[in-house]
Amino acid sequence: MRYRSNKHPDHSSASLPKLRQVGVQSVVHEGRYRRYLKDPLELSDRLVLISDEMLPILSLCDGRHAIAEIKAAYMRDTGLDVSVGRIQEIIEYLDKSLLLENEAFTSALENLLGAYHQADCRTPSHAKFVYPDTPDE
């Protein structure tokens, strides 16, 4: 299975980041409101929390905006300044968390699907959550 991304011919996926569809939950972390980005495919075990102030950056990670454009739009829309370096840090963390549509995500997804199809038996998806994960319990 090949996952297609919308790449501009003149840019790499790193320069035009595109956020995958993720779940978003409001949480309180260390006394502050944050948004928890949950990967529905659970490809990564990384915890991704983002402040409400940075949420507009995520909406601009649509595969059509370069980092400089994200910075300009963020400043225009919020009136707040953010450094290119901070935007790059956020994008790099999203990438390492496999939340961007790019080669790293595609590779991880293909590995997951390959392991699933090659497995002799599959772990029940609700074990430990709905019922015990061992028959003896």
Side-chain angles (χ1 to χ4, degrees), residues 10-122:
D10 300 331
H11 297 289
S12 70
S13 61
S15 65
L16 294 173
K18 184 172 183 182
L19 184 67
R20 293 179 31 233
Q21 285 193 342
V22 297
V24 180
Q25 290 180 305
S26 295
V27 297
V28 176
H29 177 72
E30 297 178 352
R32 295 179 171 223
Y33 288 100
R34 298 283 185 248
R35 303 300 171 152
Y36 166 53
L37 305 183
K38 178 157 177 36
D39 178 4
L41 297 176
E42 298 179 358
L43 292 175
S44 171
D45 59 357
R46 298 185 98 174
L47 179 65
V48 181
L49 297 174
I50 191 156
S51 67
D52 285 347
E53 294 83 24
M54 295 292 124
L55 277 178
I57 290 173
L58 298 184
S59 69
L60 294 163
C61 291
D62 59 4
R64 297 179 297 171
H65 295 92
I67 292 174
E69 295 169 318
I70 292 171
K71 175 183 171 54
Y74 179 83
M75 289 178 63
R76 180 192 67 233
D77 295 345
T78 67
L80 302 173
D81 191 13
V82 64
S83 70
V84 167
R86 180 67 179 127
I87 294 171
Q88 287 174 324
E89 287 174 7
I90 292 168
I91 291 169
E92 286 172 13
Y93 195 83
L94 293 171
D95 184 25
K96 289 178 183 174
S97 303
L98 302 171
L99 296 182
L100 297 179
E101 288 186 12
N102 60 17
E103 293 79 18
F105 161 67
T106 301
S107 177
L109 180 61
E110 288 175 350
N111 289 340
L112 178 72
L113 290 173
Y116 176 82
H117 290 294
Q118 292 178 356
D120 292 331
C121 64
R122 296 181 179 90

